[in-house]
Amino acid sequence: MDDQLRRAIEASKQTAQQEKQSRQRDTLLQQALAASKAEEERRKAEIARQAQARERKATGNAQMSEEEQMRLAIEASKKEEERRKALSNNDEALKLAIENSKKTAKEEEDRRRQEEQELNFALQLSAALYRASNVSRQLHDQKGPVQGHIQKEYAVPVVPGTLDVNLIEAQGLPNMKTGMNRMKPYVVLRVMSIAPVGILNLTIHKAEGLRKIQMIGQQDPYAIVTLDGRRKATTKVHYDSGRTPVWEEKKTVTLTGKEKSGSIEIQIWNKNMMSDERIGYAYLDVADVLSPSKKKWLRVNRKKGKHHSSSLDGKVCVSWDFQAHCAPSFKPLKVLESKTGYVGGPDPKWENTLTVKDMVSNCYVQATLRNKKTFGTDTILAISNVISVQGAIHQNFFTKGKNTWYPLIPSNATRSKCTNNNAGKIKLEIKFRDEDHPGGIVPEEIEPQIPDVDVIEGAQVVSSGPVVEATVVNAHAQVGSGDVLAAEVQPF
């Protein structure tokens, strides 16, 4: 009985304990639920507060954005106005630059065209000087027409070597002084070769005194005409003619003006059964073809490239006429520039020697005088005629250096400041050196080509022949249609 009661009491205590724990759990759950509700309310309140803050901030930003946009719009309007003004100024500057560029291009084109015209215009005079200055003729003191015979004839040899042009001084240049700036003239020197264009009818007549290269029997010579290393024509073989062959054959050679060589090469060969042997070379200057020749002896040299040699190797007789297809021109070889003169102004002085190596003595030069500017393009003051180097050497030799002044013609920029197309004169000393003549080549006496003179009147020679033992001062010719028609000469 007591055990049952005790178990009942313990069971009642356990039940009471469980109920108490259940009530405690319910209390804790209610407290947790209340805390959760409170937290939810707090979170909602915070969300609402943040939403109100964002709304207030958005409203404030909207008001600031309108003000900022107004300010930015005003600044953008000002910048656009400035940009349009800048574009307008740029357009004006661009138009002005285009106009100046067109004007400069037109002036440069006119200058280039004028230089070409002056270059080609000077061809006739320089070609005549070249032909007239290759030889000289004895003049008599008596007046009126006289008949005579050539006693001596001189020619400047055609040889490879070095060209020296000493620029000494100029006088009477157009005065292009601006403000306080003194003129600073300098010289641009063009070195050129003549370039005829047309058909050359070359007649190879005969040869004399050829060197004997065949030990047994007589030589059988023939001739080959070459230009720039290419064969142009070949004569027949004159069998058993030895050292004096006669061919009398006319050959045609076309000149395009683009030839690299300044000479036509005539090779003399001996015909053999096994292999032909070369006797020697002779050279005809391309510049010579501008004027017809009756007969001319060319010296034969056993070595290639030597245009002038002793008479021991023989000589070949040729003549020609030339049918020009257009006016001859000059082919530029070198362009050199001098220093500005140590004395400036319209009467400058230089004492400056321009040297060109690897040239041939039958070349030409032309001097262009320019005024050096600190800013902008240099002005062309004057231009000389084209000067034959051989002609200059011939004149300087027979006048003992007295004829070293050369006339100048004005450019487009200075023509208005010059009268009678006279832009002053320039003094040049022209020399040509080779290995055998370190001091410069000089005219050499050669065998006369034409036996008789046509007419001589005092110091005026009217002849189709050369001028002998006289100094050529001026000459005029019709290039391609005749030799020197009239030459002013000065007796010794």
Side-chain angles (χ1 to χ4, degrees), residues 72-91:
L72 292 176
I74 293 173
E75 291 180 357
S77 176
K78 291 181 179 179
K79 289 182 179 180
E80 181 65 21
E81 184 67 22
E82 292 175 356
R83 188 183 67 83
R84 283 197 295 266
K85 289 181 179 180
L87 288 176
S88 177
N89 294 335
N90 289 339
D91 290 342

Side-chain angles (χ1 to χ4, degrees), residues 17 23 83 89 133 191 226 269 278 348 367 396:
Q17 186 67 27
R23 285 195 299 272
R83 188 183 67 83
N89 294 335
S133 62
V191 184
T226 67
W269 288 77
R278 187 185 290 109
N396 293 344

Side-chain angles (χ1 to χ4, degrees), residues 15 39 59 107 131 156 186 289 394 403 422:
T15 303
E39 180 66 23
T59 303
E107 290 177 352
R131 294 299 306 148
V156 177
Y186 67 98
V289 308
H394 187 277
N403 286 348
N422 179 16

Side-chain angles (χ1 to χ4, degrees), residues 279-447:
I279 298 174
Y281 303 86
Y283 292 92
L284 173 64
D285 299 335
V286 172
D288 280 347
V289 308
L290 292 172
S291 300
S293 172
K294 294 180 180 179
K295 285 185 178 180
K296 182 173 183 177
W297 288 98
L298 305 177
R299 298 189 179 186
V300 177
N301 183 18
R302 67 188 68 187
K303 295 182 180 180
K304 184 179 179 67
K306 292 289 284 185
H307 299 276
H308 191 66
S309 64
S310 68
S311 59
L312 297 178
D313 293 334
K315 56 185 179 180
V316 59
C317 182
V318 298
S319 62
W320 64 86
D321 63 83
F322 181 69
Q323 301 172 5
H325 288 173
C326 59
S329 61
F330 289 98
K331 182 167 57 177
L333 301 177
K334 295 281 185 180
V335 179
L336 298 92
E337 185 174 310
S338 75
K339 301 177 182 178
T340 55
Y342 68 87
V343 175
D347 300 321
K349 296 182 180 181
W350 296 283
E351 292 294 345
N352 183 197
T353 300
L354 301 179
T355 300
V356 190
K357 297 181 179 180
D358 300 325
M359 289 287 107
V360 181
S361 59
N362 61 350
C363 59
Y364 295 78
V365 296
Q366 184 183 41
T368 301
L369 281 79
R370 293 175 176 264
N371 181 31
K372 177 71 73 175
K373 291 185 177 180
T374 306
F375 302 101
T377 306
D378 297 347
T379 305
I380 299 178
L381 300 173
I383 306 171
S384 74
N385 287 326
V386 179
I387 304 168
S388 163
V389 171
Q390 287 178 294
I393 292 172
H394 187 277
Q395 292 187 41
N396 293 344
F397 180 78
F398 285 106
T399 62
K400 298 181 180 179
K402 294 180 180 179
N403 286 348
T404 56
W405 286 97
Y406 297 91
L408 298 172
I409 55 178
S411 66
N412 287 338
T414 60
R415 198 176 304 278
S416 61
K417 296 181 176 293
C418 301
T419 58
N420 299 325
N421 208 36
N422 179 16
K425 57 183 179 179
I426 185 171
K427 188 174 184 180
L428 307 174
E429 286 184 356
I430 300 176
K431 293 183 179 181
F432 196 91
R433 299 178 281 116
D434 65 356
E435 295 179 357
D436 299 330
H437 304 85
I441 61 175
V442 295
E444 299 178 355
E445 185 176 347
I446 62 174
E447 184 176 342

